[in-house]
Amino acid sequence: MTVNEGGQPVIRISEERLWLFGWILLGVAVFFTMVGALVSPSDAEGKPVLLLPEVKAVEDYQNSAQVWISDMAILDGEVARILASDKQGDLFSQSRAAQQALQHAVDLAQQVDRTKVPPVAMGVHEKMIAASLSYLEAARSALQWVSTPEKNNQDTAAQKLSAARKLRSGLEVNQWLKSR
């Protein structure tokens, strides 16, 4: 370190050291770029995914929604079997199957209702709630039909199941839920 004519200190760096520092900086940048490219998550198209909290919340919600739609399909089969049984088998097994379907529907509706929803998913979530409640009504109606086996109770349960299926179908084709 030297002092200039005004008494101010002057730092001198040789040109070789400046070039060396530049090459080291470039090497570090290339290294971190390669590491980032290797460990960064990517989507189905190979594009990197930003792991911002908002993006993670949306991805988590989409994953949960896919599980719920699968659960609705299972529940659909349970209710349909109850309605198709037409009093085959004993009352105890029918009643037990209907109660299990109702409990499955209650659990599903609670999961959907208790989930934290990212703001961008509010519209889809309202449809998800409507579908889960519709399946709850269908399961409740099926249980009512088992306990009171009248034709109008069976018809009501079948109508509610049909309405639930339509809501689920709308969710299954929803492009936002598929864009994971």
Side-chain angles (χ1 to χ4, degrees), residues 36-52 55 59:
L38 292 174
V39 299
S40 292
S42 57
D43 62 9
E45 298 172 1
K47 296 178 184 174
V49 176
L50 294 176
L51 293 180
L52 300 172
V55 174
E59 199 168 284

Side-chain angles (χ1 to χ4, degrees), residues 66-76 104 108 111 168:
Q66 291 299 327
V67 170
W68 298 330
I69 291 170
S70 295
D71 283 349
M72 286 179 202
I74 293 168
L75 183 58
D76 188 287
H104 186 186
L108 177 63
Q111 286 176 6
R168 187 186 88 226

Side-chain angles (χ1 to χ4, degrees), residues 82-149:
I82 293 165
L83 295 178
S85 68
D86 203 23
K87 294 312 210 185
Q88 295 173 352
D90 64 306
L91 181 62
F92 176 75
S93 61
Q94 286 181 325
S95 177
R96 183 175 176 160
Q99 288 174 355
Q100 287 174 341
L102 181 64
Q103 187 59 50
H104 186 186
V106 167
D107 293 343
L108 177 63
Q110 287 177 344
Q111 286 176 6
V112 172
D113 187 51
R114 292 179 180 163
T115 297
K116 185 176 180 189
V117 182
V120 71
M122 291 304 288
V124 171
H125 190 68
E126 289 174 9
K127 292 177 183 179
M128 191 67 69
I129 287 174
S132 67
L133 291 177
S134 186
Y135 272 104
L136 179 61
E137 270 304 302
R140 189 193 62 76
S141 293
L143 181 61
Q144 184 176 5
W145 175 72
V146 168
S147 65
T148 312

Side-chain angles (χ1 to χ4, degrees), residues 145-164:
W145 175 72
V146 168
S147 65
T148 312
E150 297 173 0
K151 179 69 173 146
N152 64 336
N153 286 345
Q154 186 180 22
D155 292 343
T156 300
Q159 288 171 353
K160 290 184 179 185
L161 181 59
S162 177

